[in-house]
Amino acid sequence: MIGLEPVATPGAPLARRNPVAKLAAGLVFSFLLVASLDPVAPAVAIAMELALLPLFGIRYRVLARRALPLLAGAVGILVTLMLFAADRSGRVLWEAGPLLVTSGVLVTALGLVLRMLAVALPGVIVFATTDPTDLADALVQNAKAPARFAIGALAAFRLVPLLGQEWQMLTMARRARGVDAGRNPLARLRLFAATAFALLVGAIRRGTRLAVAMDARGFDAGTPRTVARRQVFRPADWLLVAGAAALAGSALAVSVALGTFRPLIG
């Protein structure tokens, strides 16, 4: 089952903040970290994110479970760069036939992996502490986003858990018809591609029906819509955005002070 429901403690101080403020804080924090290629700035940023996690009301085990696909991708990127990177400068750390790992390759790979984690973790935290309905309401009221876009995004979030259920249903249906790959890796890959295509077709059909239903209910009209749940942007929300910018700037300042700062441009 794919879950996108909030898992934070409701009374946590930062989890109560406006959804648009949390989204803006995450974007500002991530955008500033992209400016550096060294591993020090993202490492400091990750330490800050983990230190602030209790203020969002998220347990570390829950965050690790939510970020498991991200961690798997980070390991894949690290291994790929260490094996196939073109730049082999620096001291040789490990050599086995055609495989050569140098200090330059390791620093570059660690910098990319840490930067990816530091940029993606704020998004994981934001969506782990935000109800999709509250986010859609805040986008319409505070960010002045079109109602069609916000409600469409909300519907997409609500339908994501169905993908896991449909995948299980397609797999069981194929198995009931005797279509099983067994231990053949090529057959497994072919079966995976066929199941993914069937899932994609089903998702497109459901999205088309949803779009037609939304148009029938007037979401494409220019008439102003009323709101049932008010979302207020308070001074504490502005402080959250400013604090995110300050923390990202502090991470970059530590990198500059240690002499490891490598700008993305220049």
Side-chain angles (χ1 to χ4, degrees), residues 54-72:
L55 297 179
F56 285 94
I58 306 177
R59 295 190 298 273
Y60 291 101
R61 182 180 302 176
V62 175
L63 178 66
R65 189 163 59 247
R66 281 287 180 105
L68 191 59
L70 184 64
L71 297 175

Side-chain angles (χ1 to χ4, degrees), residues 191-203:
L191 186 60
F192 176 85
T195 307
F197 181 74
L199 189 67
L200 175 63
V201 171

Side-chain angles (χ1 to χ4, degrees), residues 232-258:
V232 183
F233 207 93
R234 296 182 172 84
D237 300 316
W238 289 108
L239 289 177
L240 175 62
V241 178
L247 290 177
S250 301
L252 294 177
V254 171
S255 176
V256 172
L258 295 178

Side-chain angles (χ1 to χ4, degrees), residues 82-263:
M82 290 178 62
L83 295 179
F84 302 109
D87 183 14
R88 298 289 172 175
S89 60
R91 184 166 54 89
V92 176
L93 301 177
W94 181 68
E95 183 177 4
L99 302 180
L100 179 66
V101 178
T102 64
S103 58
V105 171
L106 186 60
V107 170
T108 302
L110 285 176
L112 180 59
V113 168
L114 290 175
R115 189 163 69 254
M116 184 193 72
L117 292 175
V119 168
L121 275 180
V124 176
I125 295 173
V126 167
F127 288 104
T129 59
T130 305
D131 183 78
T133 303
D134 293 337
L135 178 59
D137 291 338
L139 285 174
V140 174
Q141 299 175 43
N142 305 129
K144 305 305 179 183
R148 178 177 179 142
F149 166 78
I151 304 301
L154 171 61
F157 272 109
R158 294 301 187 191
L159 292 176
V160 164
L162 295 179
L163 295 178
Q165 297 177 5
E166 286 198 1
W167 184 276
Q168 294 178 357
M169 291 175 58
L170 289 171
T171 302
M172 290 187 295
R174 292 177 185 272
R175 192 173 299 163
R177 293 197 302 267
V179 181
D180 194 0
R183 297 185 178 180
N184 188 339
L186 295 178
R188 282 179 176 270
L189 182 60
R190 186 166 57 249
L191 186 60
F192 176 85
T195 307
F197 181 74
L199 189 67
L200 175 63
V201 171
I204 293 175
R205 288 176 178 173
R206 186 181 297 108
T208 303
R209 291 196 300 268
L210 181 61
V212 173
M214 289 179 64
D215 285 343
R217 285 166 174 78
F219 281 93
D220 198 23
T223 306
R225 304 182 64 87
T226 58
V227 294
R229 296 168 295 271
R230 297 294 303 175
Q231 296 289 337
V232 183
F233 207 93
R234 296 182 172 84
D237 300 316
W238 289 108
L239 289 177
L240 175 62
V241 178
L247 290 177
S250 301
L252 294 177
V254 171
S255 176
V256 172
L258 295 178
T260 60
F261 180 74
R262 293 168 53 199

Side-chain angles (χ1 to χ4, degrees), residues 2-98:
I2 303 174
L4 291 176
E5 294 299 322
V7 293
T9 304
L14 295 184
R16 297 198 310 264
R17 300 274 56 86
N18 186 283
V20 169
K22 291 187 286 187
L23 186 62
L27 291 175
V28 169
F29 191 86
S30 301
F31 179 77
L32 291 179
L33 289 178
V34 177
S36 176
L37 295 176
D38 68 285
V40 175
V44 174
I46 291 174
M48 292 178 178
E49 292 166 2
L50 295 179
L52 292 174
L53 202 60
L55 297 179
F56 285 94
I58 306 177
R59 295 190 298 273
Y60 291 101
R61 182 180 302 176
V62 175
L63 178 66
R65 189 163 59 247
R66 281 287 180 105
L68 191 59
L70 184 64
L71 297 175
V75 173
I77 292 175
L78 180 63
V79 173
T80 301
L81 286 178
M82 290 178 62
L83 295 179
F84 302 109
D87 183 14
R88 298 289 172 175
S89 60
R91 184 166 54 89
V92 176
L93 301 177
W94 181 68
E95 183 177 4

